[in-house]
């Protein structure tokens, strides 16, 4: 995170005695990134945060992947993944299904109605986009309220759980990094403050406002951590002697928060702007962008939809989650679709979309894009949701005899 917060009770000086009403010391935990060399927060626990009484294997969901070979662009139809399934029995943690992944990032999707177990991702940060629905996200730092259009940003090793709210499924698009995820450096001063040209600022980020203190014994936490499993990911179920949410206060620059896509201010111009103007987050070897409702290019001869472009260094994953995406008209893509345009393939608008967009003053569209700088492979859900036809929609046909 980029700025300091203080929540609940903390002593005037760090690493000094801080006592409970009965005279017992609170236990201080430093949660920090990159060893002791980057952002951190100090949390003050009632119990001992290291005290576990059991640890067993958690068999994480299928994370095996298959290369996108032979090379083709793909259309994944996500909403069909949960057709006929009882979404009320799924939770955001154990119910997620892998769409795409590589050594840097995994992209999953889930419909959920059940509260999740307590969970900690010890491999990397998680960025969860709430496509629809709402949830209460309880964390060791406090409670976040998540709603449609929110990014829920969870730093590595943040113990938390998801509690869906309402009668409709919580639809979540999950980006799991093997690194940290942060605002792009180009938006920040050398001291970490958002600059004036940034499309959002500190006021738009909503962290916990007060502690969420829980008591209890023998609390089970599902932990995803590094190992020899698919993508180097394995799981354990660790049982803690006291509740991990026994934190009476914390301060620092590392904590979970939400950011709603409606608070992103699009950058536009007289002619078509390249995708980096839509960037919202960055991780190691990948970026995340928003394509939001916006005024479009206002040069009298402007072509508002993108020009054809070759992904020389990246795979492009576009999740269509609101409005009507102009450049893909005629391709079969609709809400709940993903397009995968792999590196080595020149892509752009459907032929009919170019002329249809001329003279447009605004686009009512919402999409979340992930660009990765290593090739993505297809997970179980990616293979199951592929329509098998998208690659041929620009030409309108396949090669003769096929």
């Amino acid at each position: 995170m980029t700025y300091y917060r203080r929540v609940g009770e903390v002593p005037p000086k760090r690493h000094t005695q801080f006592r409970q009403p009965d005279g017992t010391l609170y236990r201080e935990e430093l949660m920090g990134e990159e060893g002791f060399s980057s952002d951190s927060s100090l949390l003050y626990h009632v119990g001992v945060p290291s005290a576990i009484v059991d640890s067993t294997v958690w068999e994480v969901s299928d994370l095996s992947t298959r290369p996108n070979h032979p090379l083709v662009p793909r259309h994944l139809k996500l909403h069909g993944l949960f057709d006929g399934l009882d979404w009320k029995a799924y939770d955001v943690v154990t119910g997620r299904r892998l769409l795409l992944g590589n050594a840097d990032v995994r992209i999953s999707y889930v419909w959920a109605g059940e509260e999740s177990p307590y969970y900690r991702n010890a491999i990397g940060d998680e960025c969860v986009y709430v496509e629809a629905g709402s949830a209460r996200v309880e964390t060791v730092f406090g409670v976040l309220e998540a709603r449609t259009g929110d990014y829920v940003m969870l730093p590595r090793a943040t113990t938390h759980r998801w509690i869906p709210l309402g009668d409709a499924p919580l639809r979540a698009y999950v980006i799991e990094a093997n690194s940290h995820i942060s605002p792009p450096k180009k938006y920040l001063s050398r001291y970490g403050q958002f600059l004036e040209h940034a499309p959002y600022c500190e006021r738009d980020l909503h962290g916990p406002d007060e502690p969420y203190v829980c008591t209890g014994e023998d609390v089970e936490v599902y932990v995803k951590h590094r190992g020899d499993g698919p993508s180097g990911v394995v799981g354990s179920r660790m049982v803690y002697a006291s509740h991990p949410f026994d934190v009476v206060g914390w301060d620092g620059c590392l904590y979970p928060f939400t950011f709603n896509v409606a608070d992103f201010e699009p950058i536009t111009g007289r002619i078509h702007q390249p995708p980096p103007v839509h960037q919202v987050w960055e991780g190691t070897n990948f970026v995340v962008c928003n394509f939001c409702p916006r005024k479009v290019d206002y040069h009298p001869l402007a072509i508002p939809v993108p020009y054809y472009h070759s992904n020389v260094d990246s795979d492009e994953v576009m999740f269509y989650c609101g409005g009507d995406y102009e450049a893909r008209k005629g391709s079969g893509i609709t809400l709940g679709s993903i397009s995968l345009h792999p590196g080595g393939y020149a892509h752009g608008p459907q032929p009919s979309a170019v002329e249809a967009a001329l003279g447009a003053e605004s686009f009512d569209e919402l999409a979340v894009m992930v660009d990765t700088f290593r090739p993505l492979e297809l997970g179980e859900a990616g293979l199951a949701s592929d329509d098998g036809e998208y690659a041929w929609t620009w030409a309108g046909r396949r090669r003769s005899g096929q």
Side-chain angles (χ1 to χ4, degrees):
M1 257 312 300
T2 57
Y3 67 102
Y4 172 85
R5 286 177 69 92
R6 173 174 170 166
V7 171
E9 299 177 64
V10 300
K13 188 75 172 175
R14 61 182 179 175
H15 314 320
T16 60
Q17 297 178 29
F18 180 35
R19 295 191 178 276
Q20 303 179 37
D22 66 359
T24 307
L25 283 170
Y26 286 110
R27 279 76 175 198
E28 185 182 56
E29 176 195 5
L30 177 71
M31 182 173 167
E33 298 177 342
E34 299 176 13
F36 295 85
S37 303
S38 190
D39 292 348
S40 66
S41 286
L42 282 168
L43 298 87
Y44 292 88
H45 292 264
V46 174
V48 178
S50 304
I52 60 171
V53 297
D54 197 13
S55 185
T56 57
V57 172
W58 165 35
E59 297 289 352
V60 297
S61 57
D62 183 7
L63 297 180
S64 60
T65 56
R66 195 196 81 181
N68 183 19
H69 184 235
L71 191 69
V72 288
R74 294 179 183 267
H75 171 197
L76 311 183
K77 303 171 78 169
L78 303 196
H79 288 177
L81 285 169
F82 289 86
D83 280 351
L85 300 178
D86 180 11
W87 55 265
K88 293 182 179 179
Y90 287 80
D91 69 77
V92 173
V93 173
T94 67
R96 60 184 67 167
R97 298 176 64 181
L98 183 66
L99 299 164
L100 301 159
N102 62 21
D104 303 307
V105 65
R106 291 170 299 283
I107 302 172
S108 303
Y109 187 66
V110 63
W111 285 18
E114 181 62 72
E115 68 180 43
S116 76
Y118 293 102
Y119 167 62
R120 177 188 310 130
N121 186 335
I123 297 172
D125 292 1
E126 291 195 357
C127 167
V128 181
Y129 179 78
V130 179
E131 179 196 9
S134 59
R136 173 183 169 93
V137 186
E138 298 174 350
T139 85
V140 68
F141 292 89
V143 174
L144 302 173
E145 302 296 337
R147 59 192 171 98
T148 298
D150 271 348
Y151 287 99
V152 181
M153 308 298 290
L154 296 154
R156 176 187 286 170
T158 299
T159 304
H160 65 281
R161 71 169 175 172
W162 289 80
I163 303 175
L165 305 175
D167 298 325
L170 176 68
R171 304 203 304 252
Y173 185 69
V174 183
I175 302 166
E176 295 181 46
N178 284 359
S179 63
H180 301 298
I181 303 173
S182 64
K185 293 181 182 64
K186 64 185 179 181
Y187 297 159
L188 306 175
S189 76
R190 66 182 183 275
Y191 301 112
Q193 182 180 6
F194 279 91
L195 296 168
E196 281 294 298
H197 70 271
Y200 61 101
C201 73
E202 289 86 354
R203 295 183 192 180
D204 302 316
L205 310 181
H206 305 285
D209 292 321
E210 58 186 24
Y212 178 58
V213 183
C214 296
T215 59
E217 296 181 349
D218 296 349
V219 178
E220 186 174 66
V221 178
Y222 285 50
V223 182
K224 191 176 289 179
H225 55 98
R226 290 170 288 193
D228 293 329
S231 300
V233 177
V234 293
S236 297
R237 292 193 298 244
M238 305 183 78
V239 180
Y240 282 80
S242 57
H243 204 295
F245 294 173
D246 63 351
V247 173
V248 299
W250 60 270
D251 75 334
C253 295
L254 181 69
Y255 47 86
F257 63 92
T258 64
F259 168 73
N260 196 273
V261 71
D263 290 323
F264 187 87
E265 304 301 331
I267 298 169
T268 60
R270 291 186 74 221
I271 58 174
H272 192 80
Q273 300 297 297
V277 304
H278 304 285
Q279 187 177 353
V280 60
W281 315 113
E282 65 184 11
T284 299
N285 290 328
F286 73 94
V287 300
V288 182
C289 300
N290 301 312
F291 290 79
C292 298
R294 63 194 182 279
K295 295 285 187 181
V296 292
D297 323 327
Y298 49 90
H299 187 284
L301 297 179
I303 301 174
V305 295
Y307 35 80
Y308 294 95
H309 50 288
S310 296
N311 289 27
V312 176
D313 295 318
S314 62
D315 283 13
E316 177 197 278
V317 182
M318 190 80 81
F319 175 44
Y320 305 88
C321 46
D324 189 9
Y325 199 79
E326 295 290 333
R328 296 277 78 84
K329 286 186 174 179
S331 67
I333 282 176
T334 186
L335 295 182
S337 291
I338 274 182
S339 62
L340 168 63
H341 298 142
Y345 167 73
H347 72 276
Q350 308 306 124
S352 61
V354 179
E355 290 284 352
L358 298 181
E361 295 184 355
S362 63
F363 286 168
D364 180 20
E365 61 189 23
L366 182 61
V368 174
M369 184 177 81
V370 180
D371 271 5
T372 69
F373 299 105
R374 286 198 243 198
L376 285 162
E377 297 191 344
L378 293 150
E380 165 270 325
L383 293 167
S385 59
D386 186 9
D387 80 343
E389 299 294 331
Y390 178 65
W392 332 119
T393 57
W394 285 269
R397 64 178 179 86
R398 289 199 67 179
R399 189 173 61 188
S400 182
Q402 297 190 3

